[in-house]
Structure formats: structure tokens, C-alpha cells
């Protein structure tokens, strides 16, 4: 099962020797003209993420690979994707790269586009139940294929006694392989952010179209329930 950092008292690197390790960071983003109070919470969140990741690296193992949703290229090209998508996670990725880590292609661009296109169909609405069911099924399959690709990239890249960090939105259906030790980053301020967003759901502007590809990771009202933030055994 995945372990929240707060529950790890004195983790020992020897306990995880020769094991694949993955540090999972919930990707929490801001938006243009966000209220100062939200920006303050967001700043606290990423500072706490940085502290918890440093704690993991010192106790469990240094990050060798950086994985990030929406990044479909490795190296400098992958870092360039983050320039426009998430400057804060790009800054964090750079810290790992300075210590020898590499940024890896995490997604297949065609699967991302397919996911987005089916979602657009769903948002249009339908008069036929048969068409609605068909599109919903296609969307669910596209999302599953996207998850499977990401899991395959991580599993095939991280070797024994290595560690990767994954930045990904909450509400996904990721079920990590049993041979990967998963550690979930859970800063205390994350609960405050969740509560703040719930209370102001109607006041939050929709994401620009060029950012909507990542809404495929948001929880959907489909037949497939959202997974808990744990690793399957």
C-alpha cells in the first residue's frame, strides 16, 4: 500500500533497497487572477511538498526520474512543456535535474488527444441514450488506456533501488504495480485547499482550452468509481 509521509516515522533506505520507489505528488494548480488567499495556500502547499520530498530523498532514496502528466517528451523538450503548463512543478523538476535526475516522457500525445475529444463529446450532451452510452464507454476506455500507458512508462523506466517522482492531478484511477513502493505526498494544507475549492466551486473560472487536456484526470460521474490514493497489491 502507499504510505503518507506523515505516517513514516523513521524510514530506512535499507528496507527499500533493490525496490522501485515512486513519490506521488498531487498536482495542485492556480489560475490567472486567483484570490490572494488561495495563492497563499498554494505557496504553502508547494513549500510543504518540497520539504516532504527532501525528507523522502534523505531517508528512502534520491529521485532518479521525474514524471509529469501531460509531458510526452523527455529531456529538454519535456521541460519546455512544463514552462507553459506548470511553472511551479517545472521549478521543482529543475532541482531534481540539477542533482542528476532526468525528466521522462510520461504520456502518449495521441491518447491525450483521444481522451480530450471524447470528453468534448460528453460535454455537448445527447438526445439519444444509445449515443450517450457509446461515448461514455469510449471515454472511459480512453482514460484507462492513458493510465495504462503512464503506468507502463513508470514501471519500465524505474529500476530496482531507483526512485521516481510523479506529478499528477488527484481523482485519477491509477493502480500501481505491486513491485513499486508508492509514497503519497500529503501536506497538511491540502485539506484546506480542498475545503476552500469546495466552498467556492461556482466561483472558479473554467480552465483555458489549452489546459483542458488534463481534465481527463478529474473525477468523472461514470460507471467506474475513482480510486483511493493507494497502491494495489
Amino acid at each position: 500500500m502507499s504510505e503518507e509521509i506523515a505516517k513514516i516515522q523513521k524510514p530506512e533506505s535499507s528496507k527499500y533497497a533493490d525496490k522501485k520507489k515512486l513519490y506521488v505528488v498531487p498536482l495542485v494548480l492556480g489560475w490567472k487572477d486567483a484570490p490572494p488567499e488561495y495563492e497563499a495556500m498554494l505557496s504553502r502547499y508547494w513549500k510543504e511538498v518540497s520539504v516532504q520530498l527532501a525528507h523522502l530523498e534523505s531517508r528512502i532514496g534520491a529521485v532518479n526520474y521525474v514524471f509529469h502528466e501531460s509531458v510526452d517528451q523527455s529531456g529538454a523538450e519535456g521541460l519546455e512543456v512544463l514552462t507553459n503548463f506548470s511553472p511551479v512543478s517545472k521549478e521543482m523538476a529543475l532541482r531534481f535535474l540539477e542533482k542528476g535526475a532526468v525528466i521522462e516522457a510520461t504520456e502518449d500525445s495521441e491518447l491525450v488527444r483521444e481522451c480530450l475529444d471524447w470528453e468534448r463529446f460528453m460535454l455537448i450532451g445527447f438526445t439519444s441514450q444509445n449515443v450517450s452510452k457509446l461515448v461514455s464507454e469510449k471515454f472511459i476506455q480512453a482514460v484507462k488506456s492513458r493510465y495504462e500507458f503512464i503506468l507502463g512508462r513508470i514501471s519500465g523506466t524505474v529500476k530496482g533501488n531507483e526512485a521516481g517522482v510523479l506529478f499528477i492531478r488527484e481523482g485519477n484511477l491509477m493502480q500501481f504495480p505491486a513491485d513499486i513502493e508508492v509514497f503519497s505526498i500529503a501536506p497538511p494544507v491540502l485539506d484546506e485547499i480542498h475545503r476552500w475549492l469546495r466552498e467556492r466551486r461556482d466561483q472558479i473560472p473554467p480552465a483555458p482550452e489549452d489546459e483542458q487536456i488534463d481534465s481527463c484526470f478529474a473525477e468523472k460521474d461514470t460507471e467506474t468509481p475513482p480510486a483511493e490514493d493507494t497502491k494495489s497489491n
Side-chain angles (χ1 to χ4, degrees), residues 113-217:
R113 294 190 190 99
E114 182 180 350
C115 177
L116 174 59
D117 283 344
W118 286 120
E119 183 177 26
R120 283 172 172 164
F121 276 118
M122 292 177 65
L123 293 174
I124 292 174
F126 307 98
T127 58
S128 166
Q129 290 186 349
N130 289 336
V131 174
S132 177
K133 180 180 179 182
L134 175 62
V135 172
S136 178
E137 290 173 350
K138 291 292 187 180
F139 172 76
I140 292 172
Q141 184 56 54
V143 172
K144 287 182 177 179
S145 296
R146 189 179 179 186
Y147 295 147
E148 289 169 1
F149 184 89
I150 293 174
L151 289 172
R153 286 291 302 159
I154 294 172
S155 184
T157 302
V158 181
K159 305 299 188 296
N161 202 34
E162 291 184 330
V165 58
L166 171 64
F167 296 88
I168 191 168
R169 303 272 182 110
E170 294 182 284
N172 61 77
L173 307 175
M174 304 290 281
Q175 294 292 317
F176 297 98
D179 66 336
I180 298 180
E181 295 287 340
V182 178
F183 299 88
S184 300
I185 305 297
V189 72
L190 187 57
D191 286 338
E192 294 181 41
I193 291 175
H194 287 161
R195 184 167 56 253
W196 191 94
L197 291 173
R198 282 197 303 270
E199 293 173 351
R200 297 161 178 81
R201 189 183 303 272
D202 297 335
Q203 304 173 27
I204 299 173
E209 185 168 330
D210 60 350
E211 294 180 10
Q212 288 178 3
I213 56 173
D214 305 289
S215 60
C216 293
F217 282 107

Side-chain angles (χ1 to χ4, degrees), residues 52-66:
Q52 292 191 359
L53 283 172
H55 174 77
L56 275 176
E57 285 200 289
S58 67
R59 298 284 186 159
I60 303 297
V63 168
N64 303 101
Y65 307 100
V66 178

Side-chain angles (χ1 to χ4, degrees), residues 74-94:
S74 299
E77 292 81 4
L79 196 62
E80 185 62 27
V81 174
L82 293 181
T83 301
N84 297 321
F85 178 75
S86 176
V88 66
S89 48
K90 175 188 176 180
E91 180 181 339
M92 193 162 293
L94 280 171

